[in-house]
Amino acid sequence: MSTDTPGRVLIAADRIAERVAELGAQIAADHAGSEPVVVSVLKGGFVFAADLVRAIDLPLAVEFLAVQSYGDATRSSGVVRLTLDLALPIAGRDVLLVEDIVDTGLTCSYLLEHLAALGPRSLKLCALLHKPARQQLPLTIDYLGFTIPDVFVVGYGLDAAQRHRNLRDIRVLD
Ligand code: IMP
Ligand code: MG
């Protein structure tokens, strides 16, 4: 790693890989016989989604949504804006929303509501990280990677002002 690697490691790359494999196996077992649509949320969820779909041993489709809720601050602006919508219909399909992190829960609640209105057969949420201390809205996370404390993390897709998404570990910025 280069000398400007920030903060300290919270979850190392090999632990992430192990957990992603477990989640993929669980998702595949729960969706056996189906061809689900995995909806990846840009940008933060793209690394997790890329690893997760390869751990799901089923035929599946991948779709993308993009939202902006943060600007470059490390606290939620409280406003969620959809900047990219699905390219294909999901009516009647088993849909899995894949997010990097549930913080206040605002983004996921908004996106689940948006997807539910499109008439999927089933709709589940998979989040890599959850910060329960900051959650404001009730939310069921069907598949969760790790529960973390109220710290700001970067790496494995997560950014601080668009930086550090390419780090292999999840790190805490102090
Ligand atoms: P929520 O709407 O408050 O749940 O926030 C969800 C979004 O905020 C996530 O998809 C992330 O993009 C961003 N976010 C929340 N916490 C962190 C963090 O610790 N590091 C980087 N991004 C975060
Ligand atoms: Mg995000």
Side-chain angles (χ1 to χ4, degrees), residues 78-153:
V79 179
V80 182
R81 197 163 60 90
L82 194 66
T83 57
L84 174 73
D85 207 346
L86 301 179
L88 293 173
I90 57 164
R93 302 288 299 268
D94 294 310
V95 173
L96 181 69
L97 179 66
V98 175
E99 248 290 39
D100 49 1
I101 185 165
V102 175
D103 186 33
T104 61
L106 215 75
T107 307
C108 282
S109 297
Y110 172 88
L111 290 176
L112 286 169
E113 213 169 285
H114 177 71
L115 294 172
L118 300 172
R121 184 169 80 158
S122 71
L123 177 57
K124 290 193 166 160
L125 171 63
C126 177
L128 179 65
L129 304 173
H130 182 209
K131 283 185 202 171
R134 289 192 24 93
Q135 195 174 331
Q136 291 173 15
L137 296 175
L139 200 61
T140 302
I141 305 175
D142 301 284
Y143 306 97
L144 174 63
F146 303 93
T147 298
I148 63 167
D150 184 9
V151 291
F152 196 80
V153 290

